[in-house]
Structures are given as C-alpha cells and as structure tokens.
C-alpha cells in the first residue's frame, strides 16, 4: 500500500483507478431492469387481485401501495432487502419498496439507542428531506391552486 499522504490529485486518481474493480455495466442494467420489473409485476398482481375481490381500481392502487410498503419494510427488518439491493442495484431502490427501505433501514440501525432517540430520531435520516420538500411543495402548489380558484371564482 502506498503510504504517501502527500499524493497529488493525479497520483491519487491513478492509485484509485488501479485498485478499483470494473463494474459489469450490462449485467447491472439487466439485473436492475429484471428486478424492478418483477417488483412492478407484483404490484400489478396485487391490483388485479384486489379488483377481483370487488375493490375499485383507485382503491386497489392504494391497497397495492400499502402492501408494497409493508413488504419493503418487512424485508428490510429481516435483512433481505439489503441483499436484494446488492444483487439488483437500482432495480430495488426505484419502486415504492425502496422508499420504504430507506425509512426503515436507519430506524433498525439505531433501535439499540431506544425508541425515541434511536428509532424515532433516525428514522427519517435518508427519506426525511424527500418528505419535507415533497410535502412543502405540495402545500405550496395547493395554496397557489386555492388562490387561483378564489380569483377565478370572483
């Protein structure tokens, strides 16, 4: 190992390039596509089954989201979602199950610190900014829509 801490940026870049493994891009893309597609197929299956039981299409979509969020959280809690993520890459983080995983994983990591300071405080570390900006922007858009509706109705 090179112990020279006074490397130039070029020397460091060359060192990293020499040590880094090449990523099999085509294989990674194919696995992400297949696993992401399978997760989406499971979602469509849940919608179809819900509709067979007489649930409306809109309500079936809600049922699908709830089930997929639960499955993502459950698989994270038993340490299977991280293995799926290592295997599938982006194919596991794009669907709603990946969002569920991003909320549950930090919570599980810090549960030894207690329910309030560990689980509660760290649950939204990764997904928190997404929630904050998503909710804030939806409130702003709703407010603008409300103002336009009032002005248009006058």
């Amino acid at each position: 190992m090179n112990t020279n801490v006074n490397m130039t940026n070029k020397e460091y870049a060359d060192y990293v390039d020499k040590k880094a493994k090449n990523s099999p891009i085509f294989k990674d893309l194919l696995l992400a596509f297949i696993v992401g597609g399978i997760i989406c197929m499971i979602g469509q299956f849940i919608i179809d089954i819900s509709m067979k039981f007489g649930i409306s299409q809109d309500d079936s979509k809600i049922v699908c989201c709830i089930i997929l969020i639960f499955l993502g959280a459950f698989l994270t809690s038993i340490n299977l979602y991280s293995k799926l993520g290592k295997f599938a890459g982006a194919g596991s983080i794009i669907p709603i199950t990946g969002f569920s995983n991003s909320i549950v994983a930090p919570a599980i990591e810090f549960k030894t610190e207690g329910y309030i300071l560990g689980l509660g405080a760290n649950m939204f570390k990764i997904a928190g900014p997404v929630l904050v900006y998503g909710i804030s922007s939806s409130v702003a858009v709703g407010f603008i829509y409300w103002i336009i509706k009032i002005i248009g109705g006058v």
Side-chain angles (χ1 to χ4, degrees):
M1 181 175 150
N2 190 349
T3 58
N4 182 3
V5 293
N6 297 320
M7 287 183 177
T8 65
N9 287 340
K10 171 95 171 90
E11 291 171 335
Y12 182 73
D14 291 341
Y15 176 74
V16 169
D17 287 341
K18 189 169 66 171
K19 294 290 184 179
K21 288 192 259 179
N22 289 335
S23 177
I25 298 290
F26 183 73
K27 177 185 160 219
D28 291 346
L29 289 172
L30 187 62
L31 286 174
F33 179 77
I34 290 171
V35 172
I38 289 171
I39 292 172
C40 293
M41 285 174 49
I42 292 169
Q44 187 62 51
F45 178 73
I46 292 168
I47 291 171
D48 292 346
I49 293 296
S50 298
M51 290 176 64
K52 288 242 189 236
F53 281 102
I55 299 173
S56 70
Q57 186 174 12
D58 288 340
D59 290 342
S60 293
K61 292 175 185 177
I62 294 169
V63 168
C64 175
C65 286
I66 292 168
I67 291 173
L68 287 177
I69 288 170
F70 169 77
L71 287 174
F74 178 72
L75 292 175
T76 300
S77 69
I78 60 173
N79 202 26
L80 284 180
Y81 207 88
S82 62
K83 292 176 184 172
L84 178 67
K86 286 178 185 172
F87 175 74
S92 67
I93 63 169
I94 300 299
I96 194 168
T97 52
F99 182 71
S100 173
N101 171 265
S102 71
I103 290 177
V104 174
I108 290 173
E109 183 178 339
F110 292 101
K111 74 179 178 184
T112 57
E113 296 176 23
Y115 287 111
I116 304 297
L117 295 177
L119 196 128
N122 293 295
M123 183 180 292
F124 297 105
K125 243 181 195 173
I126 296 172
V130 174
L131 292 172
V132 168
Y133 289 111
I135 292 168
S136 299
S137 63
S138 68
V139 168
V141 169
F143 183 72
I144 292 168
Y145 175 75
W146 179 66
I147 295 294
I148 291 172
K149 195 171 178 185
I150 288 176
I151 293 172
V154 171

